Amino acid sequence: MSDAAEPPEVPSPRARGRVLQAVNKTWPRFISGAVEGRARELIDRDEYGEAAEVLENGIGKYGAGSVSQLLLAWCLHLDERQEDALVWAVRAVEEEPENADAHWLRANVLFELGRAEEASESLWRAVDLMPENGRYYMQLAWYRYVDQEFAKTRELVEQALERSPDDAWVQHTAGRIFDHHLRHRRAQAHYVLALELEPGDAAVRDDLAEILQTRGRLSAGVRVAWETAKDDPESLLYEVTLRRWSWRWYERVLRAALLLNVIDWIFPTPWPASGMVLGVLGLVYVGGWVFSLRALPAECRRDLVGAGRRGFFAGAVARTLLVAGVLGLVLRGELSALQHLGLLALVIGGYVEWYWRAALISGRRAFGTDR
């Protein structure tokens, strides 16, 4: 997967419009007057707990039959009152057994309660009732993407994409599933499509920035994170991508040192030839570093060495120069097998430090479960 932590929860679409349309269709006289108006005002402000309270009060005054169980269950679900939401979701299914959204909501609540098998059964019922809805297939894929064979998950993903290719949520979730299964190129393509459909979605931009850096397109990742930071100054991703930019270039010189040490160990190369190899590698590395730096917006180049980051940038450059110097000595001299082995241990130690600091930059544990 990418440098991002695994998505911690089902990216369940809130689907306000679809739920309210379903309510309007089957409940044309849904709670008249002040109760209806107040509940919808709160829903429009994403105050679902307060909306649920208004609806529950309406039930107390007018009886359970006067309120849409679907709408109440949905508000309770988004207010994280899953046990209460399940009660009303079951009633919604009993009240409207042919309503696909009622089964869809019951599935979401069951999944939040850790009852994945029952959630899948309920969602399959929604698919039977509305087979053209790509979101249902995508949520089935999401439920199973960890513990199911990738081939089966991918089949569901493809069915979802075939039915809802213009749904940003479907594209974004497809990207996350492919990202988890290390299909990074495919994940990037879906993140790009999702961003085209929903240009203001910061979560999509964050995932796109992560996957770009995972694929080695370091400056492109920084640019995407910078776009997010312009809209949301509180975003931490920009800071993370800036630090990764420097740290990933240090990792590349470690990789070169590891490879050349092994090659020189197996096939010792006389100095003139090894000097040419070192010169070519140096030019390629410096050229790539300069090109990547110039690809950054001017603001990002300044931020790389801005307050609080200057020391980190200098540390990465110093380590890079140190490894490059040691690499030059290796190719210049004729090391014994024991010396090559010692150098290999040093490079591996450098990689351990690199990995540990990379985890700190990303806000994750170096070993074990992510925080």
Side-chain angles (χ1 to χ4, degrees), residues 3-14:
D3 292 327
E6 182 177 320
E9 59 185 15
V10 178
S12 174
R14 301 219 162 190

Side-chain angles (χ1 to χ4, degrees), residues 47-68:
E47 297 177 6
Y48 300 104
E50 291 78 359
E53 185 177 348
V54 168
L55 296 174
E56 288 172 318
N57 290 336
I59 290 174
K61 290 181 180 180
Y62 307 113
S66 64
V67 176
S68 166

Side-chain angles (χ1 to χ4, degrees), residues 24-46:
N24 288 335
K25 188 183 299 182
T26 56
W27 289 79
R29 294 184 179 179
F30 158 68
I31 308 180
S32 62
V35 176
E36 175 185 4
R38 181 57 178 159
R40 291 186 181 242
E41 286 176 8
L42 292 166
I43 289 170
D44 287 339
R45 298 202 300 264
D46 290 342

Side-chain angles (χ1 to χ4, degrees), residues 34-328:
V35 176
E36 175 185 4
R38 181 57 178 159
R40 291 186 181 242
E41 286 176 8
L42 292 166
I43 289 170
D44 287 339
R45 298 202 300 264
D46 290 342
E47 297 177 6
Y48 300 104
E50 291 78 359
E53 185 177 348
V54 168
L55 296 174
E56 288 172 318
N57 290 336
I59 290 174
K61 290 181 180 180
Y62 307 113
S66 64
V67 176
S68 166
Q69 279 85 350
L70 174 61
L71 187 62
L72 177 55
W74 180 64
C75 290
L76 290 167
H77 167 58
L78 294 182
D79 193 42
E80 304 298 335
R81 294 168 58 186
Q82 305 303 341
E83 293 288 352
D84 294 334
L86 181 59
V87 172
W88 289 100
V90 170
R91 292 187 182 184
V93 170
E94 293 171 350
E95 177 185 59
E96 304 175 80
E98 300 304 310
N99 187 334
D101 288 315
H103 293 276
W104 165 81
L105 180 58
R106 179 174 178 268
N108 277 274
V109 175
L110 285 168
F111 186 82
E112 290 294 331
L113 291 171
R115 296 159 63 176
E117 291 298 329
E118 294 174 77
S120 295
E121 292 175 7
S122 190
L123 199 48
W124 274 117
R125 177 56 180 156
V127 168
D128 292 339
L129 291 168
M130 195 179 291
E132 72 279 4
N133 192 318
R135 288 192 172 205
Y136 295 161
Y137 286 94
M138 188 58 76
Q139 280 195 262
L140 280 168
W142 184 265
Y143 288 169
R144 297 296 187 180
Y145 83 105
V146 172
D147 59 357
Q148 185 168 289
E149 294 178 11
F150 177 61
K152 296 179 180 179
T153 302
R154 183 168 185 164
E155 182 180 351
L156 290 169
V157 170
E158 298 294 355
Q159 289 177 307
L161 292 168
E162 179 182 350
R163 288 163 173 78
S164 302
D166 297 326
D167 189 315
W169 181 85
V170 168
Q171 293 289 350
H172 186 195
T173 309
R176 285 184 163 185
I177 290 173
F178 282 114
D179 190 355
H180 173 79
H181 288 284
L182 304 181
R183 271 64 172 183
H184 294 144
R185 184 188 297 272
R186 182 75 185 270
Q188 179 184 332
H190 289 295
Y191 289 152
V192 169
L193 285 172
L195 195 59
E196 290 174 355
L197 293 166
E198 289 287 347
D201 193 327
V204 176
R205 280 205 300 260
D206 286 356
D207 284 340
L208 179 57
E210 296 278 3
I211 203 71
L212 285 168
Q213 290 206 321
T214 298
R215 296 193 61 211
R217 300 179 61 185
L218 307 181
S219 295
V222 172
R223 286 200 305 272
V224 173
W226 176 59
E227 291 294 331
T228 299
K230 288 194 298 184
D231 296 335
D232 179 15
E234 300 299 319
S235 172
L236 297 178
L237 183 64
Y238 180 54
E239 177 73 23
V240 170
T241 54
L242 282 175
R243 290 175 178 267
R244 282 196 196 132
W245 189 94
S246 305
W247 206 237
R248 287 292 294 275
W249 276 104
Y250 168 54
E251 186 269 341
R252 289 180 177 182
V253 79
L254 278 174
R255 193 186 311 171
L258 181 63
L259 180 62
L260 289 178
N261 179 55
V262 173
I263 292 175
D264 190 63
W265 188 354
I266 299 173
F267 305 105
T269 307
W271 167 241
S274 60
M276 290 178 61
V277 170
L278 186 61
V280 170
L281 286 176
L283 287 175
V284 170
Y285 182 87
V286 172
W289 190 89
V290 171
F291 179 82
S292 182
L293 186 65
R294 288 178 60 83
L296 294 173
E299 293 88 341
C300 296
R301 291 198 295 270
R302 289 196 297 267
D303 289 341
L304 273 174
V305 292
R309 306 183 194 97
R310 194 172 297 116
F312 183 86
F313 180 82
V317 171
R319 286 176 173 84
T320 299
L321 293 175
L322 177 62
V323 173
V326 171
L327 191 57

Side-chain angles (χ1 to χ4, degrees), residues 330-342:
V330 170
L331 295 179
R332 178 68 179 85
E334 292 294 334
L335 302 186
S336 66
L338 187 60
Q339 288 172 324
H340 275 297
L341 186 62

